[in-house]
Amino acid sequence: MSIAGTLAQTIEQRSAAHPKPDARLTYGTAGFRTKASLLESTCFRIGLIGALRSKSLGGKTVGLMVTASHNPEEDNGVKMVDARGEMLEASWEPICTAIANAATGEELVAELNKVVEQKSIDLSVPASVVYAYDTRPSSKPLAEAMVDGLGAFDTNVTDGGLLTTPQLHYLVLALNTQHEAQPYGSPTTEGYYAKLAGAYMSLMKGRPAPPPLIVDCANGVGTVSLKGLLAHLRDALVLYPVRTAVGQTGALNNGCGADFVKSKQRLPEGFEHEPNVHPGELLCSFDGDADRIMFYYLVGPATDPANFRMLDGDKIASLAADHLGELVHAANLDVNIGCVQTAYANGASTTYLEQRVPITCTPTGVKHLHHAAEKYDIGVYFEANGHGTVLFSEKAQRAISEADTSKMSPESAAAIAQLAAFAELINQTVGDAVSDMLMVLVILAMRGWGPREWDATYTDLPNKLVKVAVADRTQFRTTDAERRVTHPEGLQERIDALVAKYPSGRAFVRPSGTEDCVRVYAEAEKPEDVAELASATEALVKEFGA
Ligand code: 16G
Ligand code: ZN
């Protein structure tokens, strides 16, 4: 079976309406991402690929999301969500790249036919795709180009509208499991809010509501999601959403949002003038598509930058692994719990976690962490940048649902009920700022903790991240979950010699997957050592990358 005749003609004609710019695009860790003005043809084509991917899965629903997350407003991107709500299967990434880069309509059809053959796709199977987009001005028009591609294959298309990335992941899994014995949830945004709100309220039953929380929505789509959730939570949670200027030109991710806070290690711009920002109170920021969250607080007046304290993805992972581990222990369940981090995890968090749970280190990028977390019965994964979630395996879910609580101590029975509610509260398809926020609030409430107690679990080692421009970043190749470089040869030995000079020193270099640069990370016990180690490593990268 192949694409020929009228179908081929339709694709070529439609493709001519979305001309390909003279730029090579690659489907990387975060899908396609570049200036929005270059993406129309790619979006049309990913519509075509989405339809084929669904057909290849026997007509299961796949998702397409238009967003560039924390990137500037003028950027955009598109990525595919596979049928279980997870990232696109890796073997399809080069397929996406080849199709996006086909030079002519004819070549495009030829590339599509290669996929049909390679994946033995039955073209007569009806395709089903749900799509959504963020608040960027370019997002809706790009989504329309995508719909044009989907239409070429006569796809059953669901318009999710303005959604966060994790809401789309949720919808895909919910749609594909709606007729199964254990549906993931009702396949609508209302179903998503009801599931999260219901679990939150059951976990918080009998506990005082947490103190009001200021949420920086990055002027993005998280604003919409947060408002939807609040309507379901009524007075069980008081939130003050700020940076909610959706649609205001230039506002998205500008001086605010999780990425700004994490990379600048400071409050969002203007927070020192926010009426509700007080020392000792917990604050948080979402990123532009609300799949990351960063918590922080002040230990003194906001006007002094030294009073800022960050509670990042590593702190969230530690809190979640600790708490869920204690519940598993109290419930006396035969399930293991582990934690997945990347090389960017602060060494102090790794030391802390290692004393409690097994740890896996993977390369950067959500899909790597997600797959590694699936190997544990309960797998907690977070990148330091605030993207992460907790996965409950089928074995764990069964152990929880089949436990005979009538034969248990009240303490064990309560732990079982709480684990069941956490599995509902947590968006298990992908990191979700809204769901992660609720999880953190519940755990803090259960432990009677504020930000200071949470922060006191361990003290981050001082660290520094540097971007280095090099002639060709593909020369830099890594091994051991990006912790060591194999190429250029000789570089790792020089880094080892540097690191050995500093107590608790650690440094690694890796090519970025999203920008044209090499990233250097360094940490050490003393701030002055970190500065030295980072700049000496940077100098080495420049020397070897020249
Ligand atoms: C992408 C990844 C994120 C990773 C970042 C690293 C996904 C959905 N996102 O944003 O997990 O931390 O890239 O960027 O996988 P870098 O390679 O430029 O350092
Ligand atoms: Zn994001």
Side-chain angles (χ1 to χ4, degrees):
M1 198 179 260
S2 71
I3 297 166
T6 353
L7 179 55
Q9 263 173 18
T10 308
I11 292 173
E12 285 185 35
Q13 273 161 11
R14 288 190 184 206
S15 174
H18 308 285
K20 191 184 107 50
D22 186 17
R24 193 180 156 78
L25 299 182
T26 310
Y27 195 99
T29 25
F32 290 109
R33 196 173 290 184
T34 181
K35 293 277 160 268
S37 56
L38 296 176
L39 274 170
E40 186 186 323
S41 67
T42 304
C43 284
F44 165 72
R45 292 167 184 208
I46 205 161
L48 300 170
I49 308 167
L52 287 184
R53 177 65 182 148
S54 167
K55 287 174 190 288
S56 80
L57 296 169
K60 288 216 175 89
T61 303
V62 299
L64 291 172
M65 179 76 200
V66 180
T67 181
S69 184
H70 57 278
N71 282 35
E73 189 166 295
E74 60 276 16
D75 288 5
N76 217 325
V78 62
K79 59 185 166 191
M80 201 178 320
V81 180
D82 249 343
R84 302 286 311 167
E86 77 281 45
M87 303 282 166
L88 178 64
E89 188 199 283
S91 72
W92 279 73
E93 292 183 1
I95 292 176
C96 292
T97 301
I99 289 173
N101 292 297
T104 62
E106 234 169 81
E107 265 184 41
L108 173 61
V109 170
E111 284 298 336
L112 291 168
N113 271 324
K114 275 193 211 162
V115 186
V116 173
E117 192 186 334
Q118 185 195 334
K119 299 283 180 189
S120 312
I121 296 172
D122 178 352
L123 289 170
S124 68
V125 172
S128 169
V129 175
V130 54
Y131 72 93
Y133 45 89
D134 73 9
T135 58
R136 289 177 161 74
S138 59
S139 290
K140 200 154 185 256
L142 287 175
E144 280 158 13
M146 215 158 66
V147 172
D148 204 26
L150 290 166
F153 279 110
D154 201 16
T155 309
N156 173 10
V157 180
T158 308
D159 175 3
L162 209 54
L163 293 182
T164 67
T165 298
Q167 281 181 314
L168 179 70
H169 284 256
Y170 166 91
L171 272 187
V172 171
L173 183 57
L175 282 165
N176 284 319
T177 55
Q178 60 182 322
H179 303 301
E180 289 179 9
Q182 304 281 341
Y184 188 62
S186 163
T188 59
T189 35
E190 286 304 301
Y192 166 88
Y193 296 129
K195 177 169 164 146
L196 264 54
Y200 173 81
M201 288 196 281
S202 103
L203 283 159
M204 291 297 284
K205 207 168 179 180
R207 291 172 215 281
L213 176 72
I214 296 198
V215 186
D216 155 22
C217 296
N219 295 315
V221 67
T223 311
V224 182
S225 169
L226 200 64
K227 288 191 176 149
L229 176 78
L230 279 175
H232 284 253
L233 280 174
R234 295 180 294 273
D235 47 7
L237 178 61
V238 181
L239 298 175
Y240 298 133
V242 297
R243 306 299 177 266
T244 56
V246 170
Q248 185 183 306
T249 310
L252 180 69
N253 298 324
N254 193 351
C256 58
D259 197 62
F260 176 88
V261 170
K262 174 72 179 167
S263 54
K264 306 265 188 244
Q265 313 218 7
R266 55 160 286 184
L267 287 177
E269 278 171 7
F271 256 43
E272 50 286 5
H273 310 301
E274 282 291 336
N276 296 308
V277 172
H278 306 295
E281 285 175 9
L282 190 63
L283 311 161
C284 70
S285 289
F286 294 175
D287 77 338
D289 62 340
D291 62 351
R292 291 190 197 177
I293 188 166
M294 204 45 65
F295 287 92
Y296 42 95
Y297 70 107
L298 294 166
V299 293
T303 39
D304 182 353
N307 289 328
F308 176 81
R309 296 286 182 282
M310 191 138 58
L311 297 156
D312 65 359
D314 300 337
K315 278 262 154 73
I316 303 175
S318 307
L319 185 72
D322 244 4
H323 193 77
L324 297 173
E326 283 171 23
L327 287 180
V328 167
H329 184 73
N332 220 349
L333 285 181
D334 178 26
V335 299
N336 66 44
I337 173 163
C339 192
V340 185
Q341 302 189 308
T342 71
Y344 288 110
N346 194 279
S349 78
T350 311
T351 307
Y352 176 86
L353 276 162
E354 263 168 358
Q355 288 156 8
R356 292 161 173 82
V357 290
I359 297 190
T360 311
C361 183
T362 71
T364 303
V366 173
K367 63 181 178 204
H368 300 296
L369 289 105
H370 194 94
H371 286 144
E374 284 174 331
K375 304 220 162 73
Y376 294 111
D377 297 336
I378 298 179
V380 178
Y381 76 83
F382 273 88
E383 288 189 302
N385 65 24
H387 186 117
T389 187
V390 183
L391 305 181
F392 292 76
S393 67
E394 245 178 78
K395 178 184 166 192
Q397 306 253 29
R398 220 176 321 111
I400 294 165
S401 65
E402 289 173 1
D404 184 356
T405 48
S406 66
K407 296 202 181 94
M408 286 180 184
S409 68
E411 200 208 359
S412 299
I416 292 278
Q418 288 177 11
L419 283 168
F422 272 115
E424 286 283 297
L425 180 68
I426 293 164
N427 185 341
Q428 296 185 45
T429 57
V430 77
D432 182 335
V434 170
S435 158
D436 289 339
M437 173 189 81
L438 295 177
M439 173 184 79
V440 165
L441 292 177
V442 169
I443 297 178
L444 292 179
M446 288 182 162
R447 297 173 98 81
W449 282 6
R452 283 173 197 272
E453 290 80 12
W454 178 15
D455 198 16
T457 47
Y458 64 84
T459 307
D460 275 325
L461 285 171
N463 57 88
K464 201 167 175 198
L465 194 60
V466 191
K467 263 200 241 183
V468 193
V470 293
D472 172 13
R473 76 186 200 274
T474 61
Q475 275 184 59
F476 288 77
R477 277 182 263 149
T478 63
T479 182
D480 189 20
E482 302 178 325
R483 289 174 289 193
R484 302 184 65 77
V485 271
T486 53
H487 297 80
E489 277 169 34
L491 173 56
Q492 187 60 50
E493 289 73 14
R494 300 276 300 275
I495 296 175
D496 289 343
L498 271 179
V499 166
K501 292 198 220 162
Y502 305 101
S504 303
R506 186 167 71 93
F508 67 90
V509 307
R510 58 173 278 277
S512 159
T514 63
E515 286 179 75
D516 190 12
C517 66
V518 167
R519 296 196 200 282
V520 169
Y521 175 90
E523 66 182 29
E525 212 169 278
K526 297 194 206 121
E528 58 277 21
D529 287 356
V530 176
E532 242 182 73
L533 178 57
S535 58
T537 313
E538 178 183 358
L540 281 180
V541 169
K542 285 188 177 143
E543 182 189 325
F544 280 79

